Amino acid sequence: MNIFRKILTGAGIVFSFAAAAQERIHVNSFGLAPNTFTDATTRVQQAIAACKDKPGAVLEFAPGRYDFYPDSAVKKVYFISNTSSETEVPDKTKTIGLFFENFKDLVIEGNGAEFVFHGKMTTWVFDRCENITMRHVTIDTERPSMSEMTLKTVTPQMVVAAIHPDSKYTIIDGRLEWHGPRWGMNIFHAVLADTAKGIYTYSSWTPFLKSRAATIAPNTVQFTGDFSGFKGEPGNVFTVRDGIRDQAGAFIQHCRNVQLDHINMRYMHGLGIVSQFSEELHYSHIQIMPDEKSGRVMATFADGMHFSGCKGNITITDSHFKGLHDDPVNVHGTHLVITEKVAPRVLKLRFMHHQTYGFQAFFAGDSITFVHAATLQGYANGRITAARMINEREMEVTLGGDVPDGILAGDCLENITWVPSLTVRNCVFEAVNTRGLLVTTRKKVVIEHNRFYRTGMHAILIADDAASWFESGPVQDVLISGNTFEGCGYNLAPDNNYVIAIAPENHQLLKGFMVHHNIRIAGNEFRIYDYPVLTARSTGNLSFVRNRISRMKDYLPQGAERPAFRLTGCEGVKVTGNEWQVPFKPLVLLQSMTAKAIKTDLPVIVKP
């Protein structure tokens, strides 16, 4: 009888949970219907509030369009990594369309709904949420902060361009002025898109800025001036935006177990989807690309996905990145420089990069490593017992033991608790003038079965630095397998257009010390237009095996003949068993290392 009661009780618990999980809160219950083109912001926030303290709730939208305006949006101050300096954006207030704070066990079911944002906004924020899922949503902007025009005629004295209907402009005193809801443009960052070849290169608005503009037909402008140095051709799409990252496409902070599924980001203003000090992030079937029907070529103002100081597992699967003004995916931590030893166990730290500061980068209980900035060598470990922000630029941390001896000027602390593992699988990276994927994390990394199509810079960059972006840290277990790389690196020609770059910024090589370890590049297909394939610095146990390398035709001119591999200060390298279908003999260049450090079936050139 007691056992029977226990079974009933258990069944009751399961039944109650299932019932809670099925509780659906419909946005239209708050007097909001789709496709009205009126401001949905307030009523959506009311529906969000109705889900609070209801674990297992589903916030459900009916299919259709919902418009979000800044006037009724949530305003909150957030300091977001890699965004803006004190002078670029003194006020860090974000204008947020959908705001979720301290939610637990919530599903946001879009049912294919389209969220259209007006003005410069952060589309959504998850702040201190746990077990939150967003799915089946499309996000776009009524007037993207990216302006686009297709070149029709190009001569040394004149350009005629068709302005995209979404790119609002006015001609004042012969000068074209781009503008949108409550914004104009004073800073111009330009990328020229050759969509036929899939080549996206840096350009300049300067010749247009100095020219005289006149409308000669609806949405068609003639620019008269000096275009002798302009490299655009008829059919190219000229894209231009302001350089200030005052918002983010979306922001996820101090969250655990976030799932994004079947999300289409048609345009994002600012840095992109930024995940900061969050854990267990799983993003599947994400499209960061313009709607094919829109006629636009750019989907983001800057990055696609940016992960700063996260931990647990990050997975990005079955996703497509196309049309970005910066990197599709960047995963890293942040080095803070040691500026003062306040007491035997107390240090003062400082954020150094002008666009990264203001957020707490260390917490009580975190494990840390002391890092020599010049060599990137971790020379002592410790544990944080207390951490506090002194001001927006500085932190004070207390250690569980005494500060080690041997600290040099410029040395840093790296947080090795907030370090994620990363899996990127079955994704496409294309139509980007920068890199495809940036990885600096010491946990396991798997990059497999992806397509990197004509990325302007390295398809994959593994960095680590304590002098420029201050993005940490070393990698220790990376598998790059089953990927296809085609026509990558052209914006770094002629000297650095390697498909994959392992490039820690250690300005001093230390004998016997490697920054990065255990990188296996195996079973991939490389379709190269030039000679370079891989460059690596200060890497131990690096293998490039069983890959197939072929030469592209009729794409871009190749440069002067040079080695396919450039290795600097590496150990335990293996370059064997690859299939070469190229009209040249691939060579390996070794610098600051001997031939004993590599096993290869290719000719080797050794330089000091």
Side-chain angles (χ1 to χ4, degrees):
M1 186 65 176
N2 289 337
I3 294 176
F4 182 65
R5 285 177 178 173
K6 286 181 180 179
I7 293 173
L8 285 178
T9 303
I13 291 172
V14 172
F15 178 79
S16 297
F17 177 79
Q22 294 302 314
E23 182 174 1
R24 294 181 175 269
I25 296 173
H26 296 267
V27 171
N28 61 4
S29 299
F30 294 80
L32 177 63
N35 304 317
T36 64
F37 301 93
T38 58
D39 189 357
T41 313
T42 299
R43 289 178 180 176
V44 169
Q45 285 299 148
Q46 291 171 352
I48 292 172
C51 299
K52 198 68 177 285
D53 302 322
K54 294 181 179 178
V58 178
L59 175 65
E60 188 162 12
F61 289 80
R65 170 173 168 151
Y66 300 82
D67 288 76
F68 296 83
Y69 289 81
D71 290 343
S72 49
V74 172
K75 311 293 196 303
K76 189 167 181 178
V77 172
Y78 284 109
F79 287 85
I80 303 178
S81 178
N82 296 69
T83 52
S84 59
S85 68
E86 294 91 336
T87 55
E88 290 172 331
V89 183
D91 182 2
K92 304 300 181 185
T93 301
K94 301 297 179 280
T95 304
I96 304 159
L98 294 91
F99 182 67
F100 301 85
E101 186 175 29
N102 294 317
F103 276 78
K104 188 173 182 180
D105 302 325
L106 175 67
V107 174
I108 302 135
E109 175 56 72
N111 289 310
E114 180 184 26
F115 299 162
V116 178
F117 291 82
H118 298 255
K120 295 182 176 181
M121 296 178 65
T122 297
T123 60
W124 85 79
V125 167
F126 297 157
D127 188 355
R128 301 180 188 277
C129 295
E130 184 175 351
N131 302 331
I132 189 166
T133 297
M134 178 184 284
R135 63 194 185 203
H136 305 126
V137 170
T138 293
I139 288 178
D140 207 345
T141 302
E142 181 72 8
R143 191 319 188 195
S145 54
M146 185 80 65
S147 297
E148 301 186 7
M149 61 185 192
T150 301
L151 306 180
K152 297 299 184 181
T153 304
V154 180
T155 74
Q157 300 81 29
M158 179 262 292
V159 168
V160 176
I163 311 295
H164 192 282
D166 291 347
S167 301
K168 307 304 178 184
Y169 72 96
T170 301
I171 295 176
I172 302 173
D173 296 329
R175 175 174 164 176
L176 185 145
E177 302 282 358
W178 301 110
H179 57 82
R182 302 177 188 172
W183 60 265
M185 286 182 63
N186 296 310
I187 301 173
F188 304 92
H189 184 87
V191 170
L192 190 66
D194 184 337
T195 57
K197 292 183 179 179
I199 299 173
Y200 288 61
T201 56
Y202 288 103
S203 189
S204 173
W205 180 248
T206 299
F208 296 93
L209 187 67
K210 294 181 177 180
S211 69
R212 185 166 187 83
T215 298
I216 59 174
N219 287 325
T220 304
V221 174
Q222 177 176 296
F223 299 89
T224 304
D226 182 7
F227 291 94
S228 57
F230 180 61
K231 298 186 182 299
E233 298 179 355
N236 293 171
V237 181
F238 188 94
T239 68
V240 61
R241 50 132 172 129
D242 196 300
I244 302 301
R245 302 174 177 184
D246 48 359
Q247 302 283 334
F251 186 45
I252 299 166
Q253 175 178 255
H254 299 307
C255 291
R256 184 178 187 277
N257 193 15
V258 176
Q259 297 189 43
L260 304 179
D261 184 30
H262 285 88
I263 306 292
N264 302 319
M265 307 300 286
R266 300 307 188 196
Y267 186 77
M268 291 187 287
H269 172 70
L271 186 56
I273 303 173
V274 183
S275 305
Q276 185 168 288
F277 284 94
S278 295
E279 55 184 304
E280 294 301 327
L281 307 172
H282 305 285
Y283 303 164
S284 177
H285 295 91
I286 311 300
Q287 284 192 352
I288 299 181
M289 56 188 293
D291 188 331
E292 292 181 358
K293 298 178 182 178
S294 71
R296 302 198 306 253
V297 301
M298 288 296 176
T300 70
F301 180 99
D303 289 6
M305 296 178 183
H306 199 103
F307 301 84
S308 176
C310 294
K311 69 177 181 179
N313 297 295
I314 296 173
T315 61
I316 305 169
T317 59
D318 302 292
S319 296
H320 196 160
F321 303 83
K322 182 179 182 179
L324 298 89
H325 257 220
D326 216 326
D327 308 309
V329 176
N330 188 355
V331 182
H332 66 88
T334 303
H335 282 126
L336 267 65
V337 168
I338 301 167
T339 57
E340 182 182 350
K341 181 179 176 180
V342 179
R345 296 189 175 189
V346 181
L347 292 172
K348 184 183 288 186
L349 312 175
R350 183 171 180 82
F351 289 95
M352 298 303 294
H353 191 270
H354 65 287
Q355 293 179 325
T356 297
Y357 68 102
F359 54 87
Q360 187 157 340
F362 296 91
F363 304 88
D366 286 350
S367 296
I368 52 97
T369 290
F370 290 80
V371 178
H372 286 315
T375 62
L376 294 177
Q377 180 187 29
Y379 58 92
N381 294 328
R383 193 171 183 84
I384 303 290
T385 59
R388 68 181 184 92
M389 299 294 297
I390 300 173
N391 53 53
E392 294 173 357
R393 278 283 170 189
E394 295 179 302
M395 286 194 69
E396 184 181 271
V397 295
T398 303
L399 307 180
D402 289 348
V403 174
D405 296 329
I407 295 177
L408 304 175
D411 281 2
C412 301
L413 283 193
E414 180 188 357
N415 193 327
I416 60 173
T417 290
W418 289 90
V419 176
S421 62
L422 173 68
T423 298
V424 181
R425 182 182 291 121
N426 296 332
C427 295
V428 178
F429 301 86
E430 63 173 322
V432 56
N433 59 299
T434 54
R435 285 70 52 118
L437 178 60
L438 283 75
V439 180
T440 44
T441 176
R442 61 179 65 218
K443 293 291 183 69
K444 184 175 182 178
V445 175
V446 176
I447 303 167
E448 62 181 6
H449 307 306
N450 304 288
R451 185 186 186 203
F452 296 87
Y453 182 77
R454 305 187 182 189
T455 60
M457 297 181 181
H458 313 298
I460 298 173
L461 171 61
I462 298 174
D464 188 16
D465 82 272
S468 56
W469 282 95
F470 291 84
E471 293 182 356
S472 60
V475 303
Q476 297 181 345
D477 183 356
V478 178
L479 175 64
I480 301 171
S481 177
N483 304 284
T484 299
F485 303 91
E486 179 178 317
C488 300
Y490 51 84
N491 279 332
L492 296 173
D495 299 321
N496 196 31
N497 54 334
Y498 295 90
V499 180
I500 297 175
I502 305 165
E505 296 180 32
N506 53 333
H507 302 294
Q508 295 179 16
L509 291 172
L510 189 63
K511 187 175 181 179
F513 169 73
M514 299 290 110
V515 175
H516 295 306
H517 295 85
N518 302 322
I519 301 175
R520 289 96 62 208
I521 305 168
N524 304 280
E525 182 168 358
F526 292 81
R527 300 170 187 166
I528 58 175
Y529 74 95
D530 204 356
Y531 295 92
V533 176
L534 169 69
T535 181
R537 177 182 175 89
S538 193
T539 302
N541 296 329
L542 167 65
S543 63
F544 187 94
V545 298
R546 302 188 310 279
N547 300 287
R548 180 175 177 269
I549 304 95
S550 60
R551 168 62 65 85
M552 296 174 64
K553 297 180 180 179
D554 303 322
Y555 176 53
L556 289 171
Q558 66 189 61
E561 186 171 356
R562 53 206 188 281
F565 300 87
R566 184 181 67 193
L567 307 175
T568 304
C570 297
E571 293 180 353
V573 180
K574 184 178 182 181
V575 180
T576 61
N578 300 290
E579 180 184 345
W580 294 87
Q581 297 181 357
V582 296
F584 62 89
K585 183 66 175 178
L587 304 175
V588 180
L589 172 64
L590 305 183
Q591 298 174 306
S592 300
M593 55 187 288
T594 68
K596 293 180 180 180
I598 182 172
K599 179 181 179 181
T600 183
D601 48 16
L602 301 178
V604 173
I605 302 170
V606 180
K607 288 189 176 181

